[in-house]
Amino acid sequence: EYINTTKLFIREVLKKLKPNGVAFAIIGETYQGGYKGVCTKYEIAIEDEGGEIIDVNVWEKTNPRRTPHKNHFQPSHERIIVFSRPGAEPIFNEQYQPSKTVEEGYKVLPSSKREDGSKNYHMACDETPVTNVIRTGVFNKSEWEGVDPDFTHDAPAPLEIYDRFLNSYSEPGMTFLDIFCGSGQGLISGMRHGLNVIGY
């Protein structure tokens, strides 16, 4: 039932996307009544509705909510699926992070051997591209108590998630639509990036 309803959302999202626009969905697995393969079925639903998957990322939660399930480990990640209309050429601004190899300046590192057995070397850079694994904490009630002591939400995505994707796939002046805006984190991130934001 969930996947069938999701197909209706995907169908409408693809209609509303600009020709080179992207959509991203944060989706976690359910283990109620056993493993259901929801994330995989979600990806198949996107393709069934005519979407093209650009990337699948892993959001690893450093503080997952304790959820006891029989016969398997504690779930601690969700997928972030990025998709578009077929043939789209979206903006992509590659993001970088400080390199763990280089603390100050540059460093010469050995690399693969040449055919004659001698060593190759390369320069380690002070920055490396971010990977498709994002590691952050999730909702912490203490963060919201000073803003609204009555606020409740099961699992709002942190600003870092939205910042990563809006930095990568948008430019100031574009429009960001959050169809499940929940706590409003995505709208806050969108405004910080100079986007026109719509949420419901």
Side-chain angles (χ1 to χ4, degrees), residues 140-155:
N140 187 333
K141 190 174 187 303
S142 64
E143 294 173 19
W144 294 93
E145 285 176 342
V147 179
D148 180 358
D150 299 321
F151 175 79
T152 58
H153 191 291
D154 284 346

mmCIF file with all atom_site columns, all heavy atoms in Angstrom, residues 140-155:
data_model
loop_
_atom_site.group_PDB
_atom_site.id
_atom_site.type_symbol
_atom_site.label_atom_id
_atom_site.label_alt_id
_atom_site.label_comp_id
_atom_site.label_asym_id
_atom_site.label_entity_id
_atom_site.label_seq_id
_atom_site.pdbx_PDB_ins_code
_atom_site.Cartn_x
_atom_site.Cartn_y
_atom_site.Cartn_z
_atom_site.occupancy
_atom_site.B_iso_or_equiv
_atom_site.pdbx_formal_charge
_atom_site.auth_seq_id
_atom_site.auth_comp_id
_atom_site.auth_asym_id
_atom_site.auth_atom_id
_atom_site.pdbx_PDB_model_num
ATOM 1   N N   . ASN A 1 140 ? 17.355 15.387 18.167 1.00 0.00 ? 140 ASN A N   1
ATOM 2   C CA  . ASN A 1 140 ? 17.660 15.411 19.593 1.00 0.00 ? 140 ASN A CA  1
ATOM 3   C C   . ASN A 1 140 ? 16.740 16.453 20.223 1.00 0.00 ? 140 ASN A C   1
ATOM 4   O O   . ASN A 1 140 ? 16.813 17.630 19.899 1.00 0.00 ? 140 ASN A O   1
ATOM 5   C CB  . ASN A 1 140 ? 19.135 15.786 19.799 1.00 0.00 ? 140 ASN A CB  1
ATOM 6   C CG  . ASN A 1 140 ? 19.538 15.651 21.247 1.00 0.00 ? 140 ASN A CG  1
ATOM 7   O OD1 . ASN A 1 140 ? 18.720 15.770 22.152 1.00 0.00 ? 140 ASN A OD1 1
ATOM 8   N ND2 . ASN A 1 140 ? 20.818 15.414 21.472 1.00 0.00 ? 140 ASN A ND2 1
ATOM 9   N N   . LYS A 1 141 ? 15.875 16.020 21.111 1.00 0.00 ? 141 LYS A N   1
ATOM 10  C CA  . LYS A 1 141 ? 14.854 16.900 21.671 1.00 0.00 ? 141 LYS A CA  1
ATOM 11  C C   . LYS A 1 141 ? 15.444 18.164 22.293 1.00 0.00 ? 141 LYS A C   1
ATOM 12  O O   . LYS A 1 141 ? 14.870 19.241 22.213 1.00 0.00 ? 141 LYS A O   1
ATOM 13  C CB  . LYS A 1 141 ? 14.023 16.146 22.711 1.00 0.00 ? 141 LYS A CB  1
ATOM 14  C CG  . LYS A 1 141 ? 12.786 16.895 23.174 1.00 0.00 ? 141 LYS A CG  1
ATOM 15  C CD  . LYS A 1 141 ? 11.927 16.023 24.084 1.00 0.00 ? 141 LYS A CD  1
ATOM 16  C CE  . LYS A 1 141 ? 10.607 16.683 24.413 1.00 0.00 ? 141 LYS A CE  1
ATOM 17  N NZ  . LYS A 1 141 ? 10.692 17.985 25.021 1.00 0.00 ? 141 LYS A NZ  1
ATOM 18  N N   . SER A 1 142 ? 16.641 18.063 22.878 1.00 0.00 ? 142 SER A N   1
ATOM 19  C CA  . SER A 1 142 ? 17.248 19.218 23.535 1.00 0.00 ? 142 SER A CA  1
ATOM 20  C C   . SER A 1 142 ? 17.509 20.365 22.564 1.00 0.00 ? 142 SER A C   1
ATOM 21  O O   . SER A 1 142 ? 17.532 21.530 22.946 1.00 0.00 ? 142 SER A O   1
ATOM 22  C CB  . SER A 1 142 ? 18.548 18.819 24.240 1.00 0.00 ? 142 SER A CB  1
ATOM 23  O OG  . SER A 1 142 ? 19.501 18.389 23.291 1.00 0.00 ? 142 SER A OG  1
ATOM 24  N N   . GLU A 1 143 ? 17.717 20.044 21.265 1.00 0.00 ? 143 GLU A N   1
ATOM 25  C CA  . GLU A 1 143 ? 17.971 21.086 20.269 1.00 0.00 ? 143 GLU A CA  1
ATOM 26  C C   . GLU A 1 143 ? 16.760 21.980 20.067 1.00 0.00 ? 143 GLU A C   1
ATOM 27  O O   . GLU A 1 143 ? 16.888 23.131 19.657 1.00 0.00 ? 143 GLU A O   1
ATOM 28  C CB  . GLU A 1 143 ? 18.353 20.450 18.927 1.00 0.00 ? 143 GLU A CB  1
ATOM 29  C CG  . GLU A 1 143 ? 19.659 19.703 18.955 1.00 0.00 ? 143 GLU A CG  1
ATOM 30  C CD  . GLU A 1 143 ? 19.918 18.956 17.659 1.00 0.00 ? 143 GLU A CD  1
ATOM 31  O OE1 . GLU A 1 143 ? 19.287 19.293 16.635 1.00 0.00 ? 143 GLU A OE1 1
ATOM 32  O OE2 . GLU A 1 143 ? 20.742 18.029 17.662 1.00 0.00 ? 143 GLU A OE2 1
ATOM 33  N N   . TRP A 1 144 ? 15.579 21.429 20.302 1.00 0.00 ? 144 TRP A N   1
ATOM 34  C CA  . TRP A 1 144 ? 14.354 22.170 20.004 1.00 0.00 ? 144 TRP A CA  1
ATOM 35  C C   . TRP A 1 144 ? 13.706 22.796 21.228 1.00 0.00 ? 144 TRP A C   1
ATOM 36  O O   . TRP A 1 144 ? 12.842 23.648 21.105 1.00 0.00 ? 144 TRP A O   1
ATOM 37  C CB  . TRP A 1 144 ? 13.338 21.227 19.342 1.00 0.00 ? 144 TRP A CB  1
ATOM 38  C CG  . TRP A 1 144 ? 13.784 20.766 18.014 1.00 0.00 ? 144 TRP A CG  1
ATOM 39  C CD1 . TRP A 1 144 ? 14.479 19.619 17.726 1.00 0.00 ? 144 TRP A CD1 1
ATOM 40  C CD2 . TRP A 1 144 ? 13.606 21.436 16.773 1.00 0.00 ? 144 TRP A CD2 1
ATOM 41  N NE1 . TRP A 1 144 ? 14.729 19.525 16.388 1.00 0.00 ? 144 TRP A NE1 1
ATOM 42  C CE2 . TRP A 1 144 ? 14.198 20.631 15.779 1.00 0.00 ? 144 TRP A CE2 1
ATOM 43  C CE3 . TRP A 1 144 ? 12.994 22.631 16.400 1.00 0.00 ? 144 TRP A CE3 1
ATOM 44  C CZ2 . TRP A 1 144 ? 14.199 20.997 14.438 1.00 0.00 ? 144 TRP A CZ2 1
ATOM 45  C CZ3 . TRP A 1 144 ? 12.989 22.975 15.060 1.00 0.00 ? 144 TRP A CZ3 1
ATOM 46  C CH2 . TRP A 1 144 ? 13.592 22.172 14.109 1.00 0.00 ? 144 TRP A CH2 1
ATOM 47  N N   . GLU A 1 145 ? 14.083 22.380 22.424 1.00 0.00 ? 145 GLU A N   1
ATOM 48  C CA  . GLU A 1 145 ? 13.392 22.840 23.627 1.00 0.00 ? 145 GLU A CA  1
ATOM 49  C C   . GLU A 1 145 ? 13.421 24.349 23.791 1.00 0.00 ? 145 GLU A C   1
ATOM 50  O O   . GLU A 1 145 ? 12.445 24.953 24.234 1.00 0.00 ? 145 GLU A O   1
ATOM 51  C CB  . GLU A 1 145 ? 13.980 22.155 24.867 1.00 0.00 ? 145 GLU A CB  1
ATOM 52  C CG  . GLU A 1 145 ? 13.530 20.705 24.968 1.00 0.00 ? 145 GLU A CG  1
ATOM 53  C CD  . GLU A 1 145 ? 14.174 19.975 26.128 1.00 0.00 ? 145 GLU A CD  1
ATOM 54  O OE1 . GLU A 1 145 ? 15.211 20.465 26.657 1.00 0.00 ? 145 GLU A OE1 1
ATOM 55  O OE2 . GLU A 1 145 ? 13.666 18.912 26.501 1.00 0.00 ? 145 GLU A OE2 1
ATOM 56  N N   . GLY A 1 146 ? 14.532 24.980 23.411 1.00 0.00 ? 146 GLY A N   1
ATOM 57  C CA  . GLY A 1 146 ? 14.625 26.432 23.536 1.00 0.00 ? 146 GLY A CA  1
ATOM 58  C C   . GLY A 1 146 ? 13.771 27.173 22.524 1.00 0.00 ? 146 GLY A C   1
ATOM 59  O O   . GLY A 1 146 ? 13.420 28.342 22.725 1.00 0.00 ? 146 GLY A O   1
ATOM 60  N N   . VAL A 1 147 ? 13.423 26.518 21.428 1.00 0.00 ? 147 VAL A N   1
ATOM 61  C CA  . VAL A 1 147 ? 12.604 27.134 20.384 1.00 0.00 ? 147 VAL A CA  1
ATOM 62  C C   . VAL A 1 147 ? 11.129 26.903 20.669 1.00 0.00 ? 147 VAL A C   1
ATOM 63  O O   . VAL A 1 147 ? 10.313 27.822 20.647 1.00 0.00 ? 147 VAL A O   1
ATOM 64  C CB  . VAL A 1 147 ? 12.973 26.561 18.994 1.00 0.00 ? 147 VAL A CB  1
ATOM 65  C CG1 . VAL A 1 147 ? 12.096 27.176 17.907 1.00 0.00 ? 147 VAL A CG1 1
ATOM 66  C CG2 . VAL A 1 147 ? 14.442 26.787 18.700 1.00 0.00 ? 147 VAL A CG2 1
ATOM 67  N N   . ASP A 1 148 ? 10.783 25.652 20.934 1.00 0.00 ? 148 ASP A N   1
ATOM 68  C CA  . ASP A 1 148 ? 9.387  25.299 21.184 1.00 0.00 ? 148 ASP A CA  1
ATOM 69  C C   . ASP A 1 148 ? 9.363  24.076 22.098 1.00 0.00 ? 148 ASP A C   1
ATOM 70  O O   . ASP A 1 148 ? 9.604  22.952 21.657 1.00 0.00 ? 148 ASP A O   1
ATOM 71  C CB  . ASP A 1 148 ? 8.677  24.994 19.861 1.00 0.00 ? 148 ASP A CB  1
ATOM 72  C CG  . ASP A 1 148 ? 7.211  24.628 20.060 1.00 0.00 ? 148 ASP A CG  1
ATOM 73  O OD1 . ASP A 1 148 ? 6.748  24.569 21.218 1.00 0.00 ? 148 ASP A OD1 1
ATOM 74  O OD2 . ASP A 1 148 ? 6.526  24.398 19.044 1.00 0.00 ? 148 ASP A OD2 1
ATOM 75  N N   . PRO A 1 149 ? 9.062  24.266 23.383 1.00 0.00 ? 149 PRO A N   1
ATOM 76  C CA  . PRO A 1 149 ? 9.099  23.141 24.317 1.00 0.00 ? 149 PRO A CA  1
ATOM 77  C C   . PRO A 1 149 ? 8.051  22.072 24.014 1.00 0.00 ? 149 PRO A C   1
ATOM 78  O O   . PRO A 1 149 ? 8.167  20.936 24.482 1.00 0.00 ? 149 PRO A O   1
ATOM 79  C CB  . PRO A 1 149 ? 8.843  23.791 25.689 1.00 0.00 ? 149 PRO A CB  1
ATOM 80  C CG  . PRO A 1 149 ? 8.283  25.136 25.394 1.00 0.00 ? 149 PRO A CG  1
ATOM 81  C CD  . PRO A 1 149 ? 8.758  25.542 24.042 1.00 0.00 ? 149 PRO A CD  1
ATOM 82  N N   . ASP A 1 150 ? 7.050  22.407 23.206 1.00 0.00 ? 150 ASP A N   1
ATOM 83  C CA  . ASP A 1 150 ? 6.006  21.435 22.873 1.00 0.00 ? 150 ASP A CA  1
ATOM 84  C C   . ASP A 1 150 ? 6.243  20.729 21.541 1.00 0.00 ? 150 ASP A C   1
ATOM 85  O O   . ASP A 1 150 ? 5.428  19.924 21.106 1.00 0.00 ? 150 ASP A O   1
ATOM 86  C CB  . ASP A 1 150 ? 4.632  22.132 22.826 1.00 0.00 ? 150 ASP A CB  1
ATOM 87  C CG  . ASP A 1 150 ? 4.267  22.744 24.172 1.00 0.00 ? 150 ASP A CG  1
ATOM 88  O OD1 . ASP A 1 150 ? 4.564  22.110 25.209 1.00 0.00 ? 150 ASP A OD1 1
ATOM 89  O OD2 . ASP A 1 150 ? 3.705  23.851 24.190 1.00 0.00 ? 150 ASP A OD2 1
ATOM 90  N N   . PHE A 1 151 ? 7.358  21.052 20.868 1.00 0.00 ? 151 PHE A N   1
ATOM 91  C CA  . PHE A 1 151 ? 7.605  20.472 19.549 1.00 0.00 ? 151 PHE A CA  1
ATOM 92  C C   . PHE A 1 151 ? 7.839  18.972 19.645 1.00 0.00 ? 151 PHE A C   1
ATOM 93  O O   . PHE A 1 151 ? 8.569  18.497 20.508 1.00 0.00 ? 151 PHE A O   1
ATOM 94  C CB  . PHE A 1 151 ? 8.824  21.120 18.903 1.00 0.00 ? 151 PHE A CB  1
ATOM 95  C CG  . PHE A 1 151 ? 9.210  20.495 17.588 1.00 0.00 ? 151 PHE A CG  1
ATOM 96  C CD1 . PHE A 1 151 ? 8.527  20.814 16.437 1.00 0.00 ? 151 PHE A CD1 1
ATOM 97  C CD2 . PHE A 1 151 ? 10.241 19.577 17.518 1.00 0.00 ? 151 PHE A CD2 1
ATOM 98  C CE1 . PHE A 1 151 ? 8.862  20.238 15.223 1.00 0.00 ? 151 PHE A CE1 1
ATOM 99  C CE2 . PHE A 1 151 ? 10.590 18.997 16.312 1.00 0.00 ? 151 PHE A CE2 1
ATOM 100 C CZ  . PHE A 1 151 ? 9.902  19.332 15.168 1.00 0.00 ? 151 PHE A CZ  1
ATOM 101 N N   . THR A 1 152 ? 7.189  18.231 18.757 1.00 0.00 ? 152 THR A N   1
ATOM 102 C CA  . THR A 1 152 ? 7.445  16.792 18.668 1.00 0.00 ? 152 THR A CA  1
ATOM 103 C C   . THR A 1 152 ? 7.530  16.402 17.193 1.00 0.00 ? 152 THR A C   1
ATOM 104 O O   . THR A 1 152 ? 6.798  16.917 16.359 1.00 0.00 ? 152 THR A O   1
ATOM 105 C CB  . THR A 1 152 ? 6.326  15.948 19.320 1.00 0.00 ? 152 THR A CB  1
ATOM 106 O OG1 . THR A 1 152 ? 5.084  16.261 18.694 1.00 0.00 ? 152 THR A OG1 1
ATOM 107 C CG2 . THR A 1 152 ? 6.235  16.210 20.808 1.00 0.00 ? 152 THR A CG2 1
ATOM 108 N N   . HIS A 1 153 ? 8.456  15.527 16.895 1.00 0.00 ? 153 HIS A N   1
ATOM 109 C CA  . HIS A 1 153 ? 8.601  14.991 15.542 1.00 0.00 ? 153 HIS A CA  1
ATOM 110 C C   . HIS A 1 153 ? 9.450  13.745 15.674 1.00 0.00 ? 153 HIS A C   1
ATOM 111 O O   . HIS A 1 153 ? 10.457 13.751 16.375 1.00 0.00 ? 153 HIS A O   1
ATOM 112 C CB  . HIS A 1 153 ? 9.288  16.020 14.635 1.00 0.00 ? 153 HIS A CB  1
ATOM 113 C CG  . HIS A 1 153 ? 9.241  15.658 13.173 1.00 0.00 ? 153 HIS A CG  1
ATOM 114 N ND1 . HIS A 1 153 ? 9.938  14.595 12.652 1.00 0.00 ? 153 HIS A ND1 1
ATOM 115 C CD2 . HIS A 1 153 ? 8.584  16.224 12.139 1.00 0.00 ? 153 HIS A CD2 1
ATOM 116 C CE1 . HIS A 1 153 ? 9.711  14.527 11.349 1.00 0.00 ? 153 HIS A CE1 1
ATOM 117 N NE2 . HIS A 1 153 ? 8.893  15.503 11.010 1.00 0.00 ? 153 HIS A NE2 1
ATOM 118 N N   . ASP A 1 154 ? 9.040  12.663 15.024 1.00 0.00 ? 154 ASP A N   1
ATOM 119 C CA  . ASP A 1 154 ? 9.749  11.389 15.205 1.00 0.00 ? 154 ASP A CA  1
ATOM 120 C C   . ASP A 1 154 ? 11.199 11.439 14.760 1.00 0.00 ? 154 ASP A C   1
ATOM 121 O O   . ASP A 1 154 ? 12.076 10.927 15.427 1.00 0.00 ? 154 ASP A O   1
ATOM 122 C CB  . ASP A 1 154 ? 9.029  10.268 14.451 1.00 0.00 ? 154 ASP A CB  1
ATOM 123 C CG  . ASP A 1 154 ? 7.778  9.814  15.191 1.00 0.00 ? 154 ASP A CG  1
ATOM 124 O OD1 . ASP A 1 154 ? 7.640  10.162 16.368 1.00 0.00 ? 154 ASP A OD1 1
ATOM 125 O OD2 . ASP A 1 154 ? 6.953  9.115  14.580 1.00 0.00 ? 154 ASP A OD2 1
ATOM 126 N N   . ALA A 1 155 ? 11.463 12.034 13.595 1.00 0.00 ? 155 ALA A N   1
ATOM 127 C CA  . ALA A 1 155 ? 12.831 12.002 13.089 1.00 0.00 ? 155 ALA A CA  1
ATOM 128 C C   . ALA A 1 155 ? 13.079 13.064 12.032 1.00 0.00 ? 155 ALA A C   1
ATOM 129 O O   . ALA A 1 155 ? 13.240 12.758 10.862 1.00 0.00 ? 155 ALA A O   1
ATOM 130 C CB  . ALA A 1 155 ? 13.135 10.625 12.508 1.00 0.00 ? 155 ALA A CB  1
#
